[in-house]
Amino acid sequence: MFFTRLTVTIMSIQDTILVTGGAGFIGSNFVLSWLQAAGSRVINLDFLTYAGNPSSLDSLKTDPRHLLVHGDIADGELVASLLRQYRPRAIVHFAAESHVDRSIVAPDAFIRTNVQGTFALLEQTKSYWSQLDSADKPGFRFLHVSTDEVYGALGPHEPAFSETTAYAPNSPYAASKAASDHLVRAYHHTFGLPVLTTNCSNNYGPLQFPEKLIPLMILNALEGRPLPVYGDGGNVRDWLFVEDHCAAIRVVLERGRIGETYNIGGNSERKNLDVVTAICDLVDEMRPNPVIGSRRKLIGFVEDRPGHDRRYAIDASKIARELGWKPAQQFESGLRRTVRWYLDNLPWVENVRTGAYLKWIEQNYAERLAL
Ligand code: NAD
Ligand code: TYD
């Protein structure tokens, strides 16, 4: 499965999709669910940055329908050769630098991958698509996975982001994703490339790298370590269970209208402090520890993220109306499943906590003063 250039007979264009970033959190969930639903072959192009974890795909080791290729979306020659060889009917583009805090400390990689990488991928896709024959061309799709953060921040009573909300990105991460969305749009408008864009809210669930809020707090709570809440903990995010997100992407890929954007949300706005408190209670219930006591005691307020967006919320009525998709998971049951998954999968956690991970945790939290 790994890193090999297979010699294969060319299959018809309908048999294969190319996924980028399929060793990351959402990408790996997508690949697993795609293949579980008896989906067609997946070519998975991933640069295996700190956020890419081949171990998330261990269950596919002997599955001939999955091929993980270690490579960069910005490597035009590699992308062209994969397109030529495997002739996918669609590209689902997850690959990105995705962590806001890292984009504040070191934005360069975000511009390189999210902007230049997406541009390079679009160029190769355009060239491949323009050479498809007339039978294959109408079915081809390029689906770009993006974020609600491109819309900026909401006040407490403002209506949720819709597909027509003006872009107002506030972090280097959000700006780089906004730029990539604009490039995708332009390749449709100017060249006719059959694109689809999805903008979703904060995902949570199994296989998320433990630098993001929910897995970080689960593991710190388990180990009796401080739970660092930024600012006053009153920032609000909408939480989307990753399985629901993957189902939405499949629906958009199959039935979305070319050139359209679809917002995907979990209908679960929560304050950060409420999320962290709920995690404490779940970990207490599932792994009571008399030495640690109530995990709520571990919560501490630390220096805020610069430019921290106060609230995100998604209006997902367009995808519900046009494509019939709605989130299936309630936040409370999704969070319970997520906590359970981490507690049951500590070897996966140990595997992703490499030296580079420990260095990031030290860098991000050591200098954050307690409030
Ligand atoms: P992630 O950071 O967990 O994974 C990103 C993956 O991309 C990793 O496997 C990494 O190795 C790979 N990658 C990075 N640079 C690459 C390159 N140059 N070439 C090929 N692969 C590369 O991210 P995620 O949370 O799974 O997010 C996936 C997508 O969804 C991203 O585009 C992100 O912006 C978007 N998104 C995520 C969330 C969220 O809550 N996680 C919310 C909204 C949108
Ligand atoms: P995060 O998971 O980084 O996602 P995003 O910044 O893309 O929304 O953070 C979710 C929220 O949790 C965000 O408001 C920042 C906050 N947060 C903390 O309070 N403490 C932390 O240690 C982290 C990582 C995030």
Side-chain angles (χ1 to χ4, degrees), residues 98-101 149 173 202 211-214 216-217 228-230 235 237 239 272 305 308-309 312 364-365:
S98 69
H99 189 33
V100 173
D101 290 319
E149 304 196 22
Y173 164 66
N202 285 57
E211 65 182 354
K212 302 277 169 71
L213 179 75
I214 288 182
L216 182 92
M217 294 296 171
V229 173
Y230 295 168
N235 300 65
R237 297 292 181 265
W239 292 98
N272 290 341
R305 172 187 282 173
H308 195 176
D309 284 338
Y312 303 140
N364 192 40
Y365 296 100

Side-chain angles (χ1 to χ4, degrees), residues 249-267:
I249 291 174
R250 290 197 297 273
V251 167
V252 173
L253 189 59
E254 297 315 323
R255 299 206 304 277
R257 283 187 293 135
I258 288 174
E260 291 290 316
T261 290
Y262 294 91
N263 281 359
I264 306 172
N267 209 11

